[in-house]
Amino acid sequence: MNQPAPDNHSPLPPPGKLIATAEVISLAEHAAKRAEKLGTVIAGLEAGIAKRGEEAAASAAAAGFAPEDQQSAARKVAAKARAEVVTNSEDARWGYIREVNAAAESVALTAALFASPQAVLARAGLGTPERTHYQTQLEGSGIVQIKNMAALAVATNNKVLGAAIMAVLDRMPRRERPISTAELAERLVGEETRQVQDAITRIKLAAQSAININREFTAGKVRPLDRVKLALNKKEA
């Protein structure tokens, strides 16, 4: 029986929509604020739990109990208070988490399409008469003309012309290309690409931060490994 040939093609980008640069940056700011707000809410809840433990210890002290008994009373009351507060605040806390997670999920396609400046430049003017006109003019152009047109594209920030040049260069053997497509894309859309990549990273970090804060709150203890992973991700970013 014949076996199907293996599919060596790259996977398609994730489903979703391509989000504009300004919208991604705004979304990153919103996600960071919501994660920060969750932290503030949880800090308030922790303060309330701690206060109930302190009140239990104070009551035990007033009743003449030994210090170790006072501490034991504080721990028991605080543990009971945490269980109650965790249950009562679950909907509110998860409201923030779902909001930040939704932001992270919404930029999956944008992240794939902004993987590099070349990927961004390749889309400029795609399907427009302007790009078709440029590519038609550039077909069969010599090295000097391609260099001159590339210089013009950079000088005038003409991304559509740059995309047309890159399309022509991509059909040439790599060693015969008069200019680097990576350098051309970097000059035309490098800054925009980095802005989007940075915003997406901040959205993902906000989502992970919200999850970590909530996990520590529900567990009532620090999770060192989660903190180290988040710190490393922030350092890389």
Side-chain angles (χ1 to χ4, degrees), residues 26-79:
S26 176
L27 189 60
E29 294 172 355
H30 176 73
K33 288 179 180 177
R34 301 314 281 169
E36 183 179 352
K37 178 62 176 177
L38 174 62
T40 301
V41 169
I42 287 178
L45 297 174
E46 289 282 13
I49 293 169
K51 184 177 180 180
R52 289 169 66 176
E54 291 167 1
E55 290 172 347
S59 296
F65 285 95
E68 58 269 22
D69 293 327
Q70 297 170 28
Q71 294 171 6
S72 177
R75 286 194 297 270
K76 289 178 181 178
V77 169

Side-chain angles (χ1 to χ4, degrees), residues 37-52 78 81-82 84-90 92-93 96 214 217-218:
K37 178 62 176 177
L38 174 62
T40 301
V41 169
I42 287 178
L45 297 174
E46 289 282 13
I49 293 169
K51 184 177 180 180
R52 289 169 66 176
R82 180 175 299 279
E84 293 174 356
V85 173
V86 165
T87 299
N88 294 337
S89 65
E90 185 171 4
R93 288 182 289 104
Y96 292 109
N214 189 63
F217 174 66
T218 56

Side-chain angles (χ1 to χ4, degrees), residues 60-187:
F65 285 95
E68 58 269 22
D69 293 327
Q70 297 170 28
Q71 294 171 6
S72 177
R75 286 194 297 270
K76 289 178 181 178
V77 169
K80 182 179 179 181
R82 180 175 299 279
E84 293 174 356
V85 173
V86 165
T87 299
N88 294 337
S89 65
E90 185 171 4
D91 288 344
R93 288 182 289 104
W94 275 98
Y96 292 109
I97 295 170
R98 280 192 290 268
E99 194 172 351
V100 180
N101 282 345
E105 291 169 0
S106 71
V107 296
L109 177 61
T110 303
L113 295 178
F114 273 82
S116 68
Q118 288 161 285
V120 176
L121 184 60
R123 298 192 300 274
L126 195 62
T128 63
E130 182 184 13
R131 176 159 167 177
T132 300
H133 175 68
Y134 282 141
Q135 286 188 214
T136 300
Q137 284 189 315
L138 289 165
E139 293 294 343
S141 295
I143 291 176
V144 174
Q145 185 177 3
I146 290 177
K147 284 184 175 181
N148 288 338
M149 294 300 285
L152 177 63
V154 172
T156 59
N157 196 33
N158 191 329
K159 296 179 178 60
V160 178
L161 175 57
I165 294 169
M166 193 168 73
V168 171
L169 291 172
D170 281 342
R171 291 195 291 271
M172 298 173 61
R174 188 175 297 274
R175 292 184 177 181
E176 296 179 13
R177 297 173 186 175
I179 59 174
S180 164
T181 56
E183 183 178 351
L184 178 62
E186 171 61 32
R187 297 284 294 276

